[in-house]
Amino acid sequence: NAGVMQNPRHLVRRRGQEARLRCSPMKGHSHVYWYRQLPEEGLKFMVYLQKENIIDESGMPKERFSAEFPKEGPSILRIQQVVRGDSAAYFCASSPTRQGPVSFEQYFGPGTRLTVT
Amino acid sequence: GQQLNQSPQSMFIQEGEDVSMNCTSSSIFNTWLWYKQDPGEGPVLLIALYKAGELTSNGRLTAQFGITRKDSFLNISASIPSDVGIYFCAGNSGNTPLVFGKGTRLSVIA
């Protein structure tokens, strides 16, 4: 049973470019979460999605950031017009289908390390 | 918002020693999770706790959900070199997203 997959593992972008980060949840999981991690810090929640729905985006910056989880294909975290402060590790997690809006056991992918030059 | 204080920030121990780390929250949690993160990798779930007072083991790891529901601890017995890494606590209450501590960095000296 494959785990959570993320690609690319490393992404370098110049200021002003767009970054697209992809996440395929574990088989059978329909809940996807995105987190950002700065060096020496814990993970900060960004957004929680189910198929075709954004459930909670309270941690997402209001501008330049968007996320989707289409009916088919991976979840995408998109950062437009990247700035140096966007450099971080971005992790995706998935959890099994459960009752209730927030699941408990979240399984993480290996992350995408974004560097903005 | 909810905050987690995780301590200690870092630990240097001898191989074979026991390790203890803890987390406290500013509010009541319904769920406590403990993760380990190796360099360049994503966090790996170690133990999940759902009830106040619950004590759960996973091999040499033991974690407890504090009875006040505002704290949790993780113990590692007889540490080995592969225990090296960053240990994170995480928790939430009700419908809120997971909140993570800043991590405890464990170094094991052989």
Side-chain angles (χ1 to χ4, degrees), chain A residues 54-75:
Chain A
I54 296 174
I55 307 302
D56 184 343
E57 56 182 348
S58 58
M60 195 92 106
K62 293 284 187 280
E63 296 177 352
R64 302 188 297 107
F65 284 72
S66 62
E68 62 177 13
F69 189 14
K71 189 176 179 182
E72 301 290 337
S75 175

Side-chain angles (χ1 to χ4, degrees), chain A residues 30-31 48 50 95-105 107, chain B residues 50:
Chain A
S30 59
H31 302 245
Y48 161 42
Q50 294 180 25
S95 63
T97 303
R98 289 180 183 266
Q99 293 295 326
V102 178
S103 187
F104 307 128
E105 295 172 20
Y107 298 88
Chain B
Y50 299 114

Side-chain angles (χ1 to χ4, degrees), chain A residues 21-99:
Chain A
L21 289 61
R22 294 175 191 78
C23 168
S24 296
M26 286 177 71
K27 188 176 180 181
H29 288 193
S30 59
H31 302 245
V32 166
Y33 312 80
W34 285 94
Y35 294 83
R36 178 161 65 178
Q37 185 179 36
L38 296 171
E40 309 297 315
E41 295 284 328
L43 284 77
K44 294 285 196 297
F45 168 79
M46 299 180 73
V47 62
Y48 161 42
L49 309 105
Q50 294 180 25
K51 287 281 186 184
E52 300 184 281
N53 280 310
I54 296 174
I55 307 302
D56 184 343
E57 56 182 348
S58 58
M60 195 92 106
K62 293 284 187 280
E63 296 177 352
R64 302 188 297 107
F65 284 72
S66 62
E68 62 177 13
F69 189 14
K71 189 176 179 182
E72 301 290 337
S75 175
I76 307 282
L77 179 67
R78 183 179 175 211
I79 312 173
Q80 295 177 292
Q81 299 174 331
V82 296
V83 301
R84 289 227 171 98
D86 296 333
S87 295
Y90 292 84
F91 290 96
C92 164
S94 72
S95 63
T97 303
R98 289 180 183 266
Q99 293 295 326

